[in-house]
Amino acid sequence: MLMQQAFLIFLLYGLYFHCGSETHIAGKAPDIELNDGNKIPVVALGTGRKTEADEFRQAVLWAIEEGYRHIDTAALYENEPQVGRGIADAIAKGLVKRDDLFITTKLWNDRHAQDQVVPALRESLERLGLDYVDLYLIHCPVAQNADGSPSDIDYAETWRGMEVAKTLGLAKSIGVSNFNSSQLDRLFNNSQIKPAVNQIEVNPTMTQVPLVSHCHKLGIAVMACSPLGFLVSRENKNPPPPHNDDPILVAIADQYGKSTSQVVLRYLLERGLIIIPSSTNQKRLAQNLDLFDFKLTAEEVATIGQFNKNVRVVNATILKDFPNYPFES
Ligand SMILES: *[C@@H]1O[C@H](CO)[C@@H](O)[C@H](O)[C@H]1NC(C)=O
Ligand SMILES: *[C@@H]1O[C@H](CO)[C@@H](O)[C@H](O)[C@H]1NC(C)=O
Ligand SMILES: *[C@@H]1O[C@H](CO)[C@@H](O)[C@H](O)[C@H]1NC(C)=O
């Protein structure tokens, strides 16, 4: 009897630990493989917006509950502490372990000197309450001094600091953001470790077909920020179409029982992009992940592509006279 009990306890313990080691809770979005072998979930919660104090702490927790495994932030957004607390809340609740998550943050323009990169990343890690990030990006090829004035530090120098960050294990993968195709080419020819990612604005008014195709040719994954373009309200007083109620998008959405936003996000996924929709609304962020029970046809992808006007949501013209400004002037 005792033996049987002991055996039963042993068995239960075994099961417990076995299951314990496999509590890896897969997210709802699939992963794709980066050029360094690491895997990245194709939907990230974006946090690039000014909000009330703890809104993103709550949003991060809701997102993880909903099945998001990728969170995108940046030193610039000044919300790394909130994002970090949301992550800590989710881990404390037993929803996930750190290594179930993929956390991206970015180096701001005023820390581009090679020997500033690792210290800047350590400060981000401290604010996030993490030992490493999964992905660290140079936020922009433009360098600025602490007072915001133009600096002529070359992003190839900055990249050498990024390579050190990866070698130290502080960032599992490294990449860039807002780089144009000639800058990527130059970086490719001046690096030991190739950038894994380029994060750029992609949406129906800014489809970026040539740059996306160039990145993919180089083996660089593309993260699409501002993926909903002008479907959500922006500062622009006279936003170009498509808007949320665009008849072409509504017709496609009705066919699948989805919203026009979901159709646009799915359009970007069909193009092989990693999307970063941002929301602090629980229902909305759940919808932004509910994209994996339908597919668009090649024809529908082409139709949405015809909205392109090369008009950006993100207005960076304030940097247009700075060295290495990446966009059309
Ligand atoms: C990079 O190197 C390749 C191979 O040497 C060369 O063909 C290409 O023109 C170079 N690109 C740039 C931007 O220097
Ligand atoms: C972008 O911002 C600049 C000021 O920094 C402003 O002059 C310009 O009108 C803005 N462009 C758009 C399209 O909003
Ligand atoms: C990329 O940015 C550089 C630096 O500002 C600029 O000289 C170049 O024309 C840009 N290239 C493209 C393809 O936009």
Side-chain angles (χ1 to χ4, degrees):
M1 193 62 193
L2 260 179
M3 276 269 290
Q4 274 173 349
Q5 270 177 0
F7 180 69
L8 194 63
I9 288 166
F10 174 76
L11 191 73
L12 289 172
Y13 256 87
L15 279 172
Y16 177 78
F17 282 115
H18 181 69
C19 295
S21 68
E22 301 209 342
T23 42
H24 178 104
I25 305 164
K28 278 195 186 150
D31 296 332
I32 59 175
E33 192 170 315
L34 297 172
N35 61 11
D36 60 7
N38 291 330
K39 296 213 166 77
I40 184 170
V42 299
V43 182
L45 178 73
T47 63
R49 238 155 20 90
K50 287 266 178 288
T51 56
E52 297 306 313
D54 259 0
E55 263 190 87
F56 271 117
R57 174 181 186 170
Q58 177 65 72
V60 165
L61 178 59
W62 280 334
I64 293 170
E65 277 172 352
E66 195 54 43
Y68 283 78
R69 293 295 174 266
H70 184 174
I71 314 290
D72 177 90
T73 182
L76 176 70
Y77 306 159
E78 294 180 357
N79 60 15
E80 289 170 313
Q82 300 171 39
V83 167
R85 284 195 287 272
I87 293 166
D89 292 343
I91 292 173
K93 285 185 93 174
L95 294 173
V96 283
K97 300 196 299 291
R98 168 66 184 95
D99 62 4
D100 297 324
L101 297 173
F102 191 103
I103 309 300
T104 298
T105 194
K106 313 185 192 83
L107 174 79
W108 186 236
N109 300 355
D110 58 359
R111 309 296 291 276
H112 273 211
Q114 180 177 345
D115 64 3
Q116 287 180 311
V117 176
V118 165
L121 175 52
R122 287 194 197 280
E123 287 164 29
S124 279
L125 290 172
E126 171 103 30
R127 289 188 291 263
L128 285 160
L130 300 176
D131 300 329
Y132 67 91
V133 288
D134 296 274
L135 179 62
Y136 198 43
L137 304 177
I138 301 180
H139 204 139
C140 179
V142 172
Q144 292 175 266
N145 298 309
D147 64 0
S149 60
S151 152
D152 56 10
I153 297 174
D154 184 345
Y155 52 79
E157 172 188 333
T158 314
W159 187 253
R160 289 194 285 278
M162 299 292 283
E163 291 174 331
V164 175
K166 179 167 159 96
T167 307
L168 292 173
L170 298 173
K172 303 271 185 204
S173 295
I174 51 176
V176 297
S177 180
N178 296 308
F179 275 50
N180 72 29
S181 55
S182 29
Q183 293 170 327
L184 285 173
D185 284 344
R186 218 186 128 241
L187 199 54
F188 246 68
N189 286 7
N190 287 283
S191 56
Q192 302 295 315
I193 303 172
K194 304 303 168 197
V197 163
N198 188 20
Q199 182 176 128
I200 54 176
E201 179 178 335
V202 193
N203 55 54
T205 40
M206 191 73 207
T207 55
Q208 303 260 35
V209 171
L211 182 51
V212 167
S213 132
H214 192 73
C215 290
H216 285 170
K217 248 181 253 155
L218 293 173
I220 298 174
V222 177
M223 289 174 77
C225 60
S226 306
L228 291 169
F230 294 103
L231 269 72
V232 293
S233 69
R234 306 284 184 183
E235 276 168 35
N236 195 317
K237 297 231 160 39
N238 193 12
H243 307 152
N244 205 26
D245 58 355
D246 186 277
I248 294 173
L249 293 181
V250 169
I252 298 173
D254 285 350
Q255 212 176 306
Y256 298 107
K258 292 283 172 182
S259 70
T260 50
S261 294
Q262 288 171 319
V263 164
V264 165
L265 295 176
R266 185 70 218 188
Y267 153 78
L268 298 168
L269 292 177
E270 304 291 1
R271 291 183 54 199
L273 305 174
I274 297 152
I275 57 174
I276 320 171
S278 174
S279 180
T280 52
N281 174 290
Q282 189 175 17
K283 229 174 105 187
R284 177 58 78 108
L285 61 83
Q287 282 172 3
N288 290 343
L289 187 61
D290 182 17
L291 307 170
F292 299 98
D293 57 356
F294 77 116
K295 281 180 101 34
L296 300 179
T297 65
E299 201 186 354
E300 288 161 342
V301 169
T303 299
I304 296 170
Q306 281 167 10
F307 284 111
N308 184 45
K309 287 177 194 60
N310 298 320
V311 172
R312 289 174 193 281
V313 162
V314 178
N315 182 354
T317 52
I318 197 167
L319 299 177
K320 75 177 171 10
D321 297 324
F322 286 43
N324 297 317
Y325 180 70
F327 307 141
E328 53 293 325
S329 299

